[in-house]
Amino acid sequence: MRILLTGGAGFIGSHLCDRLVEAGHSVICVDNFFTGQKKNIQHLLEKDTFELIEHDIIEPLRVEGKIDQIYNLACPASPIHYQKNPIRTVKANTIGMINVLGLAKSTGARLLQASTSEVYGDPDVHPQPETYNGNVSPLSPRACYDEGKRVAETLCMDYHREHGIEIRIARIFNTYGPRMHPDDGRVVSNFITQALADKPLTMYGEGKQTRSFCYVDDLVAGLIALMNNEKHIGPINIGNPTELTMKELAIKIVEMTESKSQVEYHPLPEADPRQRRPDISLAKKVLNWEPHIPLEEGLRKTIEYFSQL
Ligand code: NAD
Ligand code: UDP
């Protein structure tokens, strides 16, 4: 197949590029390198089945010929980056989403949207099933991302209903692994880089808030399974239901890195969700997918990656 990925030079996108090239597909990676890194895809550039287009999806995108599938991942994912230029984040999820849907329409491609657990906001229902409509403020500093991703889902559904575009919506929960940007600001990369340097671990709030972390290889397998499913368009939660507090995560990372780091407490960012865990019954049932890599194993691989940087 000929497959286009937007955001293909980012953390998740580059792993997806690897997997699709390995499977023998012809892959086009579209990225503006806002948070992505060339080194994530450097090893693919010499392959004739891989093409890089440096482009911002906020601008219209034209590609000649038929495209079979499009994965739309172009959007900064870490709170620090998406809040740095919130209007651009909204634009990526609205104008950018419309441009990518337009490309799907003109090329006949099926489009998978990388949506997020952030559409559930600070959830009152726990764990979160796809039927839960969320608790999101349109006014908070996270809204550029949360509401952006919500309207991106709306646009996918509207293009599907109005123009018959084939869509798939994956609601991705916190994902981690090699190739996370070390300055990305997300908790796993922060704690590991801090622990490896024996520096204080920056704990926001009291560390009682929970997240559920999925190793990137499991996540990518889930995205591919959803894209190739003939029946179910989603939304489908893709994540790992093993839930822990940020304090537990800090202790685990300090132990695994044999670090001398202590925890240093900082204010909790505004609108930081208190809890998050995916209900993945739907993914298990319709995609026959579930994560296999336990947190410790995934953290070991991630620590190894960061210790070699
Ligand atoms: P990332 O920041 O590493 O990757 C995003 C990629 O998109 C980068 O390569 C960046 O340069 C590119 N990009 C951003 N804006 C662009 C634009 N306007 N035009 C072209 N390229 C652009 O983040 P990631 O963790 O790999 O996330 C990928 C996708 O998955 C995002 O859409 C994110 O919202 C979604 N997601 C990720 C997580 C997670 O935990 N990593 C969770 C939920 C959803
Ligand atoms: N967090 C933290 N220290 C950090 C970075 C993040 O305590 O250095 C917390 C953050 O407040 C949140 C959780 O860890 O409660 C996960 O943050 P991340 O940015 O990784 O993802 P998200 O909030 O989008 O789930």
Side-chain angles (χ1 to χ4, degrees):
M1 283 190 280
R2 193 163 178 243
I3 303 178
L4 184 143
L5 283 90
T6 73
F11 159 51
I12 297 176
S14 64
H15 286 276
L16 191 51
C17 284
D18 279 348
R19 196 72 69 89
L20 296 172
V21 168
E22 270 161 36
H25 300 298
S26 174
V27 171
I28 306 169
C29 166
V30 175
D31 206 295
N32 68 351
F33 295 100
F34 179 53
T35 50
Q37 305 178 85
K38 229 203 206 113
K39 71 169 194 176
N40 288 347
I41 49 161
Q42 193 67 42
H43 58 289
L44 294 172
L45 291 173
E46 71 215 21
K47 298 197 187 276
D48 355 320
T49 51
F50 185 80
E51 186 188 343
L52 170 67
I53 302 177
E54 211 165 320
H55 180 87
D56 191 320
I57 61 156
I58 294 172
E59 303 299 327
L61 175 61
R62 258 170 231 94
V63 178
E64 295 301 317
K66 184 169 164 39
I67 298 176
D68 300 287
Q69 297 183 339
I70 298 174
Y71 288 86
N72 185 41
L73 291 100
C75 178
S78 102
I80 289 184
H81 284 123
Y82 68 65
Q83 289 175 32
K84 199 183 278 170
N85 193 334
I87 297 168
R88 279 193 69 82
T89 303
V90 174
K91 281 187 181 168
N93 284 305
T94 50
I95 302 169
M97 185 78 245
I98 290 171
N99 287 334
V100 179
L101 282 159
L103 185 69
K105 187 164 175 243
S106 66
T107 57
R110 177 182 291 177
L111 180 142
L112 181 143
Q113 166 61 2
S115 190
T116 168
S117 51
E118 288 278 328
V119 301
Y120 303 122
D122 186 10
D124 297 319
V125 172
H126 194 71
Q128 296 80 56
E130 292 82 353
T131 45
Y132 176 51
N133 283 330
N135 173 31
V136 179
S137 157
L139 306 176
S140 90
R142 289 177 93 100
C144 57
Y145 184 77
D146 300 6
E147 295 287 24
K149 288 281 185 179
R150 286 168 69 95
V151 81
E153 288 195 7
T154 307
L155 284 164
C156 288
M157 287 309 296
D158 286 338
Y159 269 72
H160 172 63
R161 285 184 289 243
E162 246 185 272
H163 299 300
I165 306 291
E166 280 197 62
I167 57 143
R168 300 288 180 271
I169 298 173
R171 290 188 178 153
I172 301 171
F173 282 64
N174 294 65
T175 303
Y176 72 101
R179 300 192 193 149
M180 293 182 92
H181 198 295
D183 301 325
D184 192 63
R186 281 182 268 194
V187 70
V188 173
S189 43
N190 272 7
F191 283 0
I192 292 179
T193 48
Q194 291 158 352
L196 287 172
D198 287 328
K199 289 193 176 147
L201 263 58
T202 51
M203 181 71 69
Y204 303 160
E206 294 174 43
K208 287 186 185 154
Q209 69 274 39
T210 68
R211 296 292 186 272
S212 309
F213 296 98
C214 186
Y215 189 67
V216 65
D217 289 357
D218 278 334
L219 191 272
V220 163
L223 295 182
I224 294 174
L226 173 58
M227 174 64 107
N228 293 301
N229 190 284
E230 291 308 321
K231 270 205 208 134
H232 297 277
I233 68 170
I236 296 190
N237 291 337
I238 310 278
N240 188 321
T242 309
E243 182 182 8
L244 79 172
T245 65
M246 294 309 96
K247 204 159 189 179
E248 287 166 334
L249 178 70
I251 292 167
K252 204 173 262 297
I253 289 176
V254 167
E255 271 172 20
M256 290 181 73
T257 52
E258 296 175 8
S259 173
K260 297 189 189 69
S261 297
Q262 303 282 322
V263 166
E264 184 181 85
Y265 291 91
H266 294 261
L268 190 67
E270 190 182 331
D272 198 283
R274 288 157 297 149
Q275 52 181 358
R276 185 181 293 151
R277 171 154 59 105
D279 176 338
I280 58 163
S281 337
L282 188 63
K284 279 187 184 164
K285 188 167 148 215
V286 305
L287 304 180
N288 195 22
W289 173 88
E290 62 182 308
H292 295 291
I293 299 161
L295 183 64
E296 293 219 345
E297 186 183 333
L299 283 178
R300 199 165 359 93
K301 292 176 196 226
T302 313
I303 291 168
E304 199 178 301
Y305 170 79
F306 280 107
S307 58
Q308 282 163 8
L309 285 185

